[in-house]
Amino acid sequence: DEYEHPGYASEISMKCRMAEVLLALLRDSRGFSQELVPANETSACIYRALIHIRQHFKEDLGEQALAKQYGISYSYFSRQFKQVTGMSFRQYLNSLRIHYAEQLLLTSRKSITEIAGECGYNNISYFISIYKHLKGETPKKTLQNASVGRSK
């Protein structure tokens, strides 16, 4: 809901949820138990998919291909993914990509088009649209605000 209707602190809320998922993944890899850690094989597949997505988010990823890779039907994978992350596959992927894009905008001298491509977006208009939806401003505005902040 916060992804679809961003409001006050919605970005922080989404980041907190992603941090919870990441913490569960880290604890799971160390043998700790926690309620977020999957109790069944299907949930374990979703967590493995999350690791795969985080490692390959710059590439062309498809939810159907991931579901097939983990031996789960697409619709079941989709429902389980949303239950675990609180976001749809596309929302989660876009969130990762846009967060990375923002880091690149603020730390590199690459063009917006180069950054879009590096983050997995082949269509610059779509990239700008998603960026604006999630960040509340265009990538160009982010650059302008960063340069104003540096000059002060």
Side-chain angles (χ1 to χ4, degrees):
D1 188 44
E2 290 182 85
Y3 177 85
E4 294 296 324
H5 308 287
Y8 179 74
S10 61
E11 183 178 340
I12 293 170
S13 175
M14 287 190 294
K15 286 180 181 180
C16 287
R17 183 63 180 151
M18 283 192 277
E20 287 176 21
V21 170
L22 182 57
L23 178 61
L25 290 169
L26 291 171
R27 286 183 172 161
D28 186 43
S29 70
R30 296 232 167 188
F32 294 107
S33 65
Q34 162 140 355
E35 58 189 56
L36 278 175
V37 175
N40 61 49
E41 186 58 33
T42 301
S43 294
C45 286
I46 299 300
Y47 281 94
R48 287 193 298 275
L50 287 168
I51 291 168
H52 180 85
I53 294 164
R54 290 190 77 77
Q55 292 172 342
H56 301 279
F57 70 91
K58 299 175 193 176
E59 301 166 16
D60 185 23
L61 291 176
E63 187 174 12
Q64 288 183 338
L66 274 176
K68 185 176 182 179
Q69 179 179 337
Y70 292 104
I72 304 173
S73 77
Y74 165 71
S75 60
Y76 189 66
F77 179 87
S78 183
R79 283 192 311 273
Q80 291 298 308
F81 190 92
K82 186 158 188 164
Q83 183 179 0
V84 169
T85 64
M87 295 182 231
S88 71
F89 171 82
R90 185 59 46 195
Q91 290 169 335
Y92 185 81
L93 182 60
N94 281 330
S95 181
L96 286 176
R97 288 176 170 178
I98 295 302
H99 180 70
Y100 183 66
E102 181 181 38
Q103 290 175 342
L104 290 177
L105 284 166
L106 298 173
T107 61
S108 76
R109 298 211 179 268
K110 295 178 180 182
S111 72
I112 293 171
T113 303
E114 289 173 311
I115 290 171
E118 190 172 327
C119 293
Y121 294 100
N122 298 324
N123 182 322
I124 188 71
S125 297
Y126 181 67
F127 167 71
I128 292 169
S129 170
I130 295 296
Y131 189 96
K132 185 173 182 180
H133 177 75
L134 291 177
K135 296 295 178 183
E137 63 185 19
T138 64
K140 185 176 181 180
K141 187 73 172 165
T142 297
L143 284 174
Q144 290 170 343
N145 290 341
S147 65
V148 168
R150 284 185 213 135
S151 65
K152 288 184 177 183

mmCIF file of all heavy atoms in Angstrom, residues 98-142:
data_model
loop_
_atom_site.group_PDB
_atom_site.id
_atom_site.type_symbol
_atom_site.label_atom_id
_atom_site.label_comp_id
_atom_site.label_asym_id
_atom_site.label_seq_id
_atom_site.Cartn_x
_atom_site.Cartn_y
_atom_site.Cartn_z
ATOM 1 N N ILE A 98 16.105 1.339 -8.011
ATOM 2 C CA ILE A 98 16.044 2.789 -7.830
ATOM 3 C C ILE A 98 16.939 3.226 -6.674
ATOM 4 O O ILE A 98 17.594 4.269 -6.742
ATOM 5 C CB ILE A 98 14.589 3.269 -7.646
ATOM 6 C CG1 ILE A 98 13.780 3.009 -8.923
ATOM 7 C CG2 ILE A 98 14.535 4.730 -7.242
ATOM 8 C CD1 ILE A 98 14.325 3.677 -10.193
ATOM 9 N N HIS A 99 17.017 2.436 -5.636
ATOM 10 C CA HIS A 99 17.929 2.756 -4.532
ATOM 11 C C HIS A 99 19.371 2.785 -5.045
ATOM 12 O O HIS A 99 20.138 3.694 -4.727
ATOM 13 C CB HIS A 99 17.776 1.759 -3.398
ATOM 14 C CG HIS A 99 18.673 2.034 -2.235
ATOM 15 N ND1 HIS A 99 18.493 3.118 -1.400
ATOM 16 C CD2 HIS A 99 19.786 1.403 -1.790
ATOM 17 C CE1 HIS A 99 19.459 3.127 -0.488
ATOM 18 N NE2 HIS A 99 20.252 2.097 -0.703
ATOM 19 N N TYR A 100 19.724 1.801 -5.842
ATOM 20 C CA TYR A 100 21.067 1.756 -6.423
ATOM 21 C C TYR A 100 21.278 2.945 -7.369
ATOM 22 O O TYR A 100 22.344 3.568 -7.367
ATOM 23 C CB TYR A 100 21.273 0.426 -7.155
ATOM 24 C CG TYR A 100 22.653 0.255 -7.719
ATOM 25 C CD1 TYR A 100 23.764 0.151 -6.887
ATOM 26 C CD2 TYR A 100 22.860 0.178 -9.097
ATOM 27 C CE1 TYR A 100 25.035 -0.013 -7.397
ATOM 28 C CE2 TYR A 100 24.129 0.008 -9.615
ATOM 29 C CZ TYR A 100 25.215 -0.078 -8.765
ATOM 30 O OH TYR A 100 26.473 -0.242 -9.283
ATOM 31 N N ALA A 101 20.266 3.257 -8.164
ATOM 32 C CA ALA A 101 20.358 4.398 -9.083
ATOM 33 C C ALA A 101 20.604 5.693 -8.317
ATOM 34 O O ALA A 101 21.432 6.517 -8.729
ATOM 35 C CB ALA A 101 19.079 4.509 -9.918
ATOM 36 N N GLU A 102 19.908 5.862 -7.213
ATOM 37 C CA GLU A 102 20.099 7.064 -6.403
ATOM 38 C C GLU A 102 21.543 7.139 -5.891
ATOM 39 O O GLU A 102 22.160 8.211 -5.916
ATOM 40 C CB GLU A 102 19.122 7.075 -5.229
ATOM 41 C CG GLU A 102 19.242 8.316 -4.364
ATOM 42 C CD GLU A 102 18.292 8.300 -3.196
ATOM 43 O OE1 GLU A 102 18.066 7.213 -2.602
ATOM 44 O OE2 GLU A 102 17.766 9.384 -2.860
ATOM 45 N N GLN A 103 22.086 6.018 -5.451
ATOM 46 C CA GLN A 103 23.474 5.999 -4.996
ATOM 47 C C GLN A 103 24.421 6.402 -6.126
ATOM 48 O O GLN A 103 25.345 7.182 -5.917
ATOM 49 C CB GLN A 103 23.851 4.610 -4.465
ATOM 50 C CG GLN A 103 23.178 4.265 -3.172
ATOM 51 C CD GLN A 103 23.482 2.835 -2.737
ATOM 52 O OE1 GLN A 103 23.921 1.992 -3.515
ATOM 53 N NE2 GLN A 103 23.236 2.556 -1.470
ATOM 54 N N LEU A 104 24.172 5.863 -7.318
ATOM 55 C CA LEU A 104 25.015 6.212 -8.468
ATOM 56 C C LEU A 104 24.879 7.684 -8.840
ATOM 57 O O LEU A 104 25.874 8.343 -9.163
ATOM 58 C CB LEU A 104 24.677 5.336 -9.673
ATOM 59 C CG LEU A 104 25.068 3.869 -9.585
ATOM 60 C CD1 LEU A 104 24.591 3.117 -10.829
ATOM 61 C CD2 LEU A 104 26.573 3.720 -9.432
ATOM 62 N N LEU A 105 23.665 8.204 -8.799
ATOM 63 C CA LEU A 105 23.450 9.624 -9.111
ATOM 64 C C LEU A 105 24.248 10.519 -8.172
ATOM 65 O O LEU A 105 24.808 11.530 -8.584
ATOM 66 C CB LEU A 105 21.962 9.982 -9.015
ATOM 67 C CG LEU A 105 21.079 9.531 -10.164
ATOM 68 C CD1 LEU A 105 19.606 9.657 -9.772
ATOM 69 C CD2 LEU A 105 21.367 10.338 -11.418
ATOM 70 N N LEU A 106 24.295 10.132 -6.908
ATOM 71 C CA LEU A 106 24.939 10.963 -5.899
ATOM 72 C C LEU A 106 26.447 10.746 -5.802
ATOM 73 O O LEU A 106 27.151 11.603 -5.263
ATOM 74 C CB LEU A 106 24.295 10.714 -4.533
ATOM 75 C CG LEU A 106 22.808 11.075 -4.436
ATOM 76 C CD1 LEU A 106 22.240 10.639 -3.097
ATOM 77 C CD2 LEU A 106 22.592 12.568 -4.658
ATOM 78 N N THR A 107 26.951 9.641 -6.325
ATOM 79 C CA THR A 107 28.377 9.340 -6.131
ATOM 80 C C THR A 107 29.183 9.207 -7.415
ATOM 81 O O THR A 107 30.398 9.112 -7.353
ATOM 82 C CB THR A 107 28.559 8.036 -5.326
ATOM 83 O OG1 THR A 107 27.963 6.953 -6.054
ATOM 84 C CG2 THR A 107 27.934 8.147 -3.940
ATOM 85 N N SER A 108 28.527 9.174 -8.559
ATOM 86 C CA SER A 108 29.278 9.020 -9.808
ATOM 87 C C SER A 108 29.037 10.222 -10.716
ATOM 88 O O SER A 108 28.192 11.058 -10.435
ATOM 89 C CB SER A 108 28.865 7.730 -10.523
ATOM 90 O OG SER A 108 27.606 7.888 -11.146
ATOM 91 N N ARG A 109 29.752 10.265 -11.764
ATOM 92 C CA ARG A 109 29.586 11.333 -12.757
ATOM 93 C C ARG A 109 28.927 10.795 -14.027
ATOM 94 O O ARG A 109 29.026 11.401 -15.088
ATOM 95 C CB ARG A 109 30.930 11.962 -13.082
ATOM 96 C CG ARG A 109 31.576 12.623 -11.883
ATOM 97 C CD ARG A 109 32.417 13.808 -12.327
ATOM 98 N NE ARG A 109 33.048 14.483 -11.205
ATOM 99 C CZ ARG A 109 32.509 15.498 -10.561
ATOM 100 N NH1 ARG A 109 31.324 15.940 -10.891
ATOM 101 N NH2 ARG A 109 33.161 16.076 -9.572
ATOM 102 N N LYS A 110 28.254 9.665 -13.911
ATOM 103 C CA LYS A 110 27.593 9.046 -15.053
ATOM 104 C C LYS A 110 26.317 9.810 -15.404
ATOM 105 O O LYS A 110 25.694 10.434 -14.545
ATOM 106 C CB LYS A 110 27.251 7.592 -14.744
ATOM 107 C CG LYS A 110 28.468 6.728 -14.533
ATOM 108 C CD LYS A 110 28.092 5.314 -14.192
ATOM 109 C CE LYS A 110 29.354 4.491 -13.982
ATOM 110 N NZ LYS A 110 29.057 3.107 -13.695
ATOM 111 N N SER A 111 25.930 9.709 -16.664
ATOM 112 C CA SER A 111 24.690 10.349 -17.106
ATOM 113 C C SER A 111 23.496 9.551 -16.592
ATOM 114 O O SER A 111 23.620 8.376 -16.219
ATOM 115 C CB SER A 111 24.636 10.415 -18.632
ATOM 116 O OG SER A 111 24.418 9.125 -19.174
ATOM 117 N N ILE A 112 22.351 10.182 -16.609
ATOM 118 C CA ILE A 112 21.124 9.514 -16.171
ATOM 119 C C ILE A 112 20.837 8.310 -17.060
ATOM 120 O O ILE A 112 20.439 7.246 -16.573
ATOM 121 C CB ILE A 112 19.942 10.511 -16.148
ATOM 122 C CG1 ILE A 112 20.180 11.555 -15.051
ATOM 123 C CG2 ILE A 112 18.618 9.790 -15.945
ATOM 124 C CD1 ILE A 112 19.206 12.711 -15.056
ATOM 125 N N THR A 113 21.090 8.427 -18.350
ATOM 126 C CA THR A 113 20.880 7.311 -19.277
ATOM 127 C C THR A 113 21.811 6.145 -18.951
ATOM 128 O O THR A 113 21.383 4.988 -18.943
ATOM 129 C CB THR A 113 21.102 7.780 -20.735
ATOM 130 O OG1 THR A 113 20.218 8.869 -21.006
ATOM 131 C CG2 THR A 113 20.847 6.661 -21.723
ATOM 132 N N GLU A 114 23.075 6.438 -18.666
ATOM 133 C CA GLU A 114 24.024 5.376 -18.292
ATOM 134 C C GLU A 114 23.589 4.682 -17.007
ATOM 135 O O GLU A 114 23.642 3.454 -16.896
ATOM 136 C CB GLU A 114 25.430 5.956 -18.093
ATOM 137 C CG GLU A 114 26.123 6.399 -19.360
ATOM 138 C CD GLU A 114 27.436 7.113 -19.070
ATOM 139 O OE1 GLU A 114 27.455 8.028 -18.217
ATOM 140 O OE2 GLU A 114 28.438 6.734 -19.706
ATOM 141 N N ILE A 115 23.161 5.464 -16.052
ATOM 142 C CA ILE A 115 22.722 4.912 -14.770
ATOM 143 C C ILE A 115 21.486 4.040 -14.951
ATOM 144 O O ILE A 115 21.404 2.945 -14.392
ATOM 145 C CB ILE A 115 22.492 6.030 -13.735
ATOM 146 C CG1 ILE A 115 23.847 6.637 -13.336
ATOM 147 C CG2 ILE A 115 21.730 5.526 -12.515
ATOM 148 C CD1 ILE A 115 23.759 7.874 -12.489
ATOM 149 N N ALA A 116 20.542 4.513 -15.751
ATOM 150 C CA ALA A 116 19.338 3.719 -16.016
ATOM 151 C C ALA A 116 19.720 2.359 -16.587
ATOM 152 O O ALA A 116 19.228 1.323 -16.119
ATOM 153 C CB ALA A 116 18.411 4.464 -16.968
ATOM 154 N N GLY A 117 20.599 2.350 -17.569
ATOM 155 C CA GLY A 117 21.041 1.100 -18.177
ATOM 156 C C GLY A 117 21.765 0.204 -17.193
ATOM 157 O O GLY A 117 21.549 -1.013 -17.161
ATOM 158 N N GLU A 118 22.612 0.801 -16.367
ATOM 159 C CA GLU A 118 23.366 0.030 -15.383
ATOM 160 C C GLU A 118 22.460 -0.586 -14.327
ATOM 161 O O GLU A 118 22.787 -1.605 -13.728
ATOM 162 C CB GLU A 118 24.416 0.920 -14.718
ATOM 163 C CG GLU A 118 25.392 0.156 -13.878
ATOM 164 C CD GLU A 118 26.555 0.992 -13.376
ATOM 165 O OE1 GLU A 118 26.992 1.915 -14.093
ATOM 166 O OE2 GLU A 118 27.019 0.712 -12.258
ATOM 167 N N CYS A 119 21.328 0.029 -14.091
ATOM 168 C CA CYS A 119 20.385 -0.464 -13.082
ATOM 169 C C CYS A 119 19.350 -1.426 -13.651
ATOM 170 O O CYS A 119 18.460 -1.875 -12.937
ATOM 171 C CB CYS A 119 19.674 0.715 -12.421
ATOM 172 S SG CYS A 119 20.785 1.725 -11.442
ATOM 173 N N GLY A 120 19.466 -1.737 -14.942
ATOM 174 C CA GLY A 120 18.566 -2.719 -15.541
ATOM 175 C C GLY A 120 17.391 -2.138 -16.299
ATOM 176 O O GLY A 120 16.488 -2.878 -16.677
ATOM 177 N N TYR A 121 17.390 -0.833 -16.528
ATOM 178 C CA TYR A 121 16.301 -0.199 -17.270
ATOM 179 C C TYR A 121 16.770 0.134 -18.681
ATOM 180 O O TYR A 121 17.706 0.914 -18.863
ATOM 181 C CB TYR A 121 15.838 1.092 -16.578
ATOM 182 C CG TYR A 121 15.194 0.851 -15.235
ATOM 183 C CD1 TYR A 121 15.904 1.042 -14.057
ATOM 184 C CD2 TYR A 121 13.875 0.432 -15.149
ATOM 185 C CE1 TYR A 121 15.316 0.827 -12.828
ATOM 186 C CE2 TYR A 121 13.282 0.212 -13.910
ATOM 187 C CZ TYR A 121 14.010 0.416 -12.758
ATOM 188 O OH TYR A 121 13.422 0.194 -11.537
ATOM 189 N N ASN A 122 16.120 -0.443 -19.671
ATOM 190 C CA ASN A 122 16.459 -0.159 -21.070
ATOM 191 C C ASN A 122 15.686 1.041 -21.597
ATOM 192 O O ASN A 122 16.063 1.617 -22.606
ATOM 193 C CB ASN A 122 16.158 -1.382 -21.940
ATOM 194 C CG ASN A 122 16.997 -2.568 -21.530
ATOM 195 O OD1 ASN A 122 18.154 -2.411 -21.152
ATOM 196 N ND2 ASN A 122 16.420 -3.755 -21.591
ATOM 197 N N ASN A 123 14.624 1.402 -20.924
ATOM 198 C CA ASN A 123 13.766 2.509 -21.353
ATOM 199 C C ASN A 123 13.941 3.660 -20.367
ATOM 200 O O ASN A 123 13.519 3.566 -19.208
ATOM 201 C CB ASN A 123 12.308 2.027 -21.404
ATOM 202 C CG ASN A 123 11.357 3.084 -21.876
ATOM 203 O OD1 ASN A 123 11.484 4.264 -21.562
ATOM 204 N ND2 ASN A 123 10.363 2.655 -22.634
ATOM 205 N N ILE A 124 14.540 4.754 -20.820
ATOM 206 C CA ILE A 124 14.840 5.889 -19.943
ATOM 207 C C ILE A 124 13.561 6.531 -19.403
ATOM 208 O O ILE A 124 13.516 6.946 -18.243
ATOM 209 C CB ILE A 124 15.745 6.928 -20.650
ATOM 210 C CG1 ILE A 124 16.214 8.012 -19.676
ATOM 211 C CG2 ILE A 124 15.073 7.548 -21.842
ATOM 212 C CD1 ILE A 124 17.216 7.558 -18.666
ATOM 213 N N SER A 125 12.519 6.591 -20.209
ATOM 214 C CA SER A 125 11.253 7.185 -19.748
ATOM 215 C C SER A 125 10.652 6.373 -18.608
ATOM 216 O O SER A 125 10.148 6.935 -17.628
ATOM 217 C CB SER A 125 10.247 7.273 -20.896
ATOM 218 O OG SER A 125 10.735 8.123 -21.891
ATOM 219 N N TYR A 126 10.702 5.052 -18.742
ATOM 220 C CA TYR A 126 10.188 4.174 -17.685
ATOM 221 C C TYR A 126 11.023 4.349 -16.419
ATOM 222 O O TYR A 126 10.478 4.437 -15.314
ATOM 223 C CB TYR A 126 10.201 2.721 -18.157
ATOM 224 C CG TYR A 126 9.662 1.746 -17.141
ATOM 225 C CD1 TYR A 126 8.315 1.767 -16.770
ATOM 226 C CD2 TYR A 126 10.491 0.804 -16.543
ATOM 227 C CE1 TYR A 126 7.819 0.875 -15.832
ATOM 228 C CE2 TYR A 126 10.006 -0.087 -15.603
ATOM 229 C CZ TYR A 126 8.669 -0.047 -15.252
ATOM 230 O OH TYR A 126 8.180 -0.930 -14.312
ATOM 231 N N PHE A 127 12.336 4.404 -16.577
ATOM 232 C CA PHE A 127 13.227 4.619 -15.440
ATOM 233 C C PHE A 127 12.870 5.912 -14.700
ATOM 234 O O PHE A 127 12.711 5.920 -13.475
ATOM 235 C CB PHE A 127 14.694 4.669 -15.902
ATOM 236 C CG PHE A 127 15.644 5.186 -14.860
ATOM 237 C CD1 PHE A 127 15.956 4.432 -13.738
ATOM 238 C CD2 PHE A 127 16.222 6.437 -14.995
ATOM 239 C CE1 PHE A 127 16.836 4.915 -12.763
ATOM 240 C CE2 PHE A 127 17.104 6.927 -14.035
ATOM 241 C CZ PHE A 127 17.402 6.163 -12.915
ATOM 242 N N ILE A 128 12.723 6.997 -15.442
ATOM 243 C CA ILE A 128 12.408 8.292 -14.830
ATOM 244 C C ILE A 128 11.056 8.226 -14.123
ATOM 245 O O ILE A 128 10.898 8.734 -13.014
ATOM 246 C CB ILE A 128 12.461 9.430 -15.877
ATOM 247 C CG1 ILE A 128 13.909 9.634 -16.337
ATOM 248 C CG2 ILE A 128 11.861 10.720 -15.324
ATOM 249 C CD1 ILE A 128 14.068 10.539 -17.541
ATOM 250 N N SER A 129 10.095 7.571 -14.753
ATOM 251 C CA SER A 129 8.762 7.438 -14.160
ATOM 252 C C SER A 129 8.808 6.664 -12.839
ATOM 253 O O SER A 129 8.223 7.106 -11.838
ATOM 254 C CB SER A 129 7.843 6.729 -15.155
ATOM 255 O OG SER A 129 6.628 6.383 -14.558
ATOM 256 N N ILE A 130 9.509 5.544 -12.829
ATOM 257 C CA ILE A 130 9.614 4.731 -11.608
ATOM 258 C C ILE A 130 10.407 5.489 -10.547
ATOM 259 O O ILE A 130 10.038 5.503 -9.363
ATOM 260 C CB ILE A 130 10.271 3.366 -11.908
ATOM 261 C CG1 ILE A 130 9.384 2.541 -12.834
ATOM 262 C CG2 ILE A 130 10.582 2.599 -10.629
ATOM 263 C CD1 ILE A 130 8.041 2.167 -12.239
ATOM 264 N N TYR A 131 11.477 6.132 -10.951
ATOM 265 C CA TYR A 131 12.302 6.895 -10.017
ATOM 266 C C TYR A 131 11.456 7.980 -9.344
ATOM 267 O O TYR A 131 11.467 8.123 -8.121
ATOM 268 C CB TYR A 131 13.494 7.526 -10.741
ATOM 269 C CG TYR A 131 14.502 8.140 -9.803
ATOM 270 C CD1 TYR A 131 15.623 7.429 -9.414
ATOM 271 C CD2 TYR A 131 14.331 9.424 -9.287
ATOM 272 C CE1 TYR A 131 16.555 7.967 -8.542
ATOM 273 C CE2 TYR A 131 15.248 9.971 -8.408
ATOM 274 C CZ TYR A 131 16.358 9.242 -8.044
ATOM 275 O OH TYR A 131 17.276 9.782 -7.163
ATOM 276 N N LYS A 132 10.701 8.710 -10.150
ATOM 277 C CA LYS A 132 9.866 9.789 -9.604
ATOM 278 C C LYS A 132 8.796 9.227 -8.666
ATOM 279 O O LYS A 132 8.518 9.809 -7.610
ATOM 280 C CB LYS A 132 9.220 10.597 -10.728
ATOM 281 C CG LYS A 132 8.456 11.799 -10.222
ATOM 282 C CD LYS A 132 7.960 12.669 -11.341
ATOM 283 C CE LYS A 132 7.246 13.880 -10.748
ATOM 284 N NZ LYS A 132 6.735 14.767 -11.772
ATOM 285 N N HIS A 133 8.224 8.096 -9.039
ATOM 286 C CA HIS A 133 7.190 7.477 -8.204
ATOM 287 C C HIS A 133 7.749 7.106 -6.828
ATOM 288 O O HIS A 133 7.110 7.340 -5.804
ATOM 289 C CB HIS A 133 6.622 6.245 -8.905
ATOM 290 C CG HIS A 133 5.614 5.507 -8.087
ATOM 291 N ND1 HIS A 133 4.325 5.955 -7.895
ATOM 292 C CD2 HIS A 133 5.714 4.353 -7.391
ATOM 293 C CE1 HIS A 133 3.676 5.107 -7.117
ATOM 294 N NE2 HIS A 133 4.495 4.128 -6.789
ATOM 295 N N LEU A 134 8.952 6.533 -6.818
ATOM 296 C CA LEU A 134 9.524 6.059 -5.561
ATOM 297 C C LEU A 134 10.236 7.149 -4.767
ATOM 298 O O LEU A 134 10.249 7.107 -3.533
ATOM 299 C CB LEU A 134 10.499 4.903 -5.826
ATOM 300 C CG LEU A 134 9.851 3.611 -6.298
ATOM 301 C CD1 LEU A 134 10.909 2.557 -6.607
ATOM 302 C CD2 LEU A 134 8.871 3.081 -5.278
ATOM 303 N N LYS A 135 10.856 8.086 -5.440
ATOM 304 C CA LYS A 135 11.649 9.106 -4.747
ATOM 305 C C LYS A 135 10.940 10.454 -4.629
ATOM 306 O O LYS A 135 11.399 11.333 -3.908
ATOM 307 C CB LYS A 135 12.999 9.310 -5.454
ATOM 308 C CG LYS A 135 13.893 8.083 -5.422
ATOM 309 C CD LYS A 135 14.294 7.778 -4.011
ATOM 310 C CE LYS A 135 15.135 6.534 -3.905
ATOM 311 N NZ LYS A 135 15.464 6.213 -2.536
ATOM 312 N N GLY A 136 9.866 10.633 -5.358
ATOM 313 C CA GLY A 136 9.129 11.894 -5.268
ATOM 314 C C GLY A 136 9.738 13.022 -6.079
ATOM 315 O O GLY A 136 9.277 14.157 -6.015
ATOM 316 N N GLU A 137 10.788 12.721 -6.826
ATOM 317 C CA GLU A 137 11.428 13.697 -7.697
ATOM 318 C C GLU A 137 12.119 12.964 -8.827
ATOM 319 O O GLU A 137 12.374 11.766 -8.729
ATOM 320 C CB GLU A 137 12.432 14.564 -6.925
ATOM 321 C CG GLU A 137 13.604 13.799 -6.342
ATOM 322 C CD GLU A 137 14.515 14.671 -5.475
ATOM 323 O OE1 GLU A 137 14.081 15.737 -5.021
ATOM 324 O OE2 GLU A 137 15.662 14.254 -5.260
ATOM 325 N N THR A 138 12.437 13.680 -9.889
ATOM 326 C CA THR A 138 13.110 13.058 -11.018
ATOM 327 C C THR A 138 14.594 12.864 -10.702
ATOM 328 O O THR A 138 15.121 13.518 -9.797
ATOM 329 C CB THR A 138 12.993 13.947 -12.272
ATOM 330 O OG1 THR A 138 13.672 15.179 -12.021
ATOM 331 C CG2 THR A 138 11.537 14.191 -12.661
ATOM 332 N N PRO A 139 15.264 11.998 -11.453
ATOM 333 C CA PRO A 139 16.706 11.840 -11.250
ATOM 334 C C PRO A 139 17.460 13.163 -11.452
ATOM 335 O O PRO A 139 18.410 13.457 -10.721
ATOM 336 C CB PRO A 139 17.112 10.812 -12.307
ATOM 337 C CG PRO A 139 15.871 10.090 -12.662
ATOM 338 C CD PRO A 139 14.745 11.050 -12.442
ATOM 339 N N LYS A 140 17.015 13.947 -12.408
ATOM 340 C CA LYS A 140 17.657 15.244 -12.663
ATOM 341 C C LYS A 140 17.533 16.148 -11.438
ATOM 342 O O LYS A 140 18.488 16.831 -11.048
ATOM 343 C CB LYS A 140 17.021 15.903 -13.887
ATOM 344 C CG LYS A 140 17.684 17.187 -14.305
ATOM 345 C CD LYS A 140 17.060 17.730 -15.580
ATOM 346 C CE LYS A 140 17.741 19.007 -16.010
ATOM 347 N NZ LYS A 140 17.152 19.546 -17.245
ATOM 348 N N LYS A 141 16.383 16.142 -10.806
ATOM 349 C CA LYS A 141 16.172 16.954 -9.599
ATOM 350 C C LYS A 141 17.064 16.463 -8.460
ATOM 351 O O LYS A 141 17.607 17.270 -7.697
ATOM 352 C CB LYS A 141 14.695 16.905 -9.200
ATOM 353 C CG LYS A 141 14.339 17.824 -8.075
ATOM 354 C CD LYS A 141 14.330 19.272 -8.541
ATOM 355 C CE LYS A 141 13.773 20.151 -7.439
ATOM 356 N NZ LYS A 141 14.046 21.550 -7.677
ATOM 357 N N THR A 142 17.231 15.150 -8.350
ATOM 358 C CA THR A 142 18.130 14.597 -7.335
ATOM 359 C C THR A 142 19.542 15.126 -7.553
ATOM 360 O O THR A 142 20.213 15.527 -6.593
ATOM 361 C CB THR A 142 18.131 13.050 -7.379
ATOM 362 O OG1 THR A 142 16.819 12.587 -7.063
ATOM 363 C CG2 THR A 142 19.118 12.462 -6.393
#
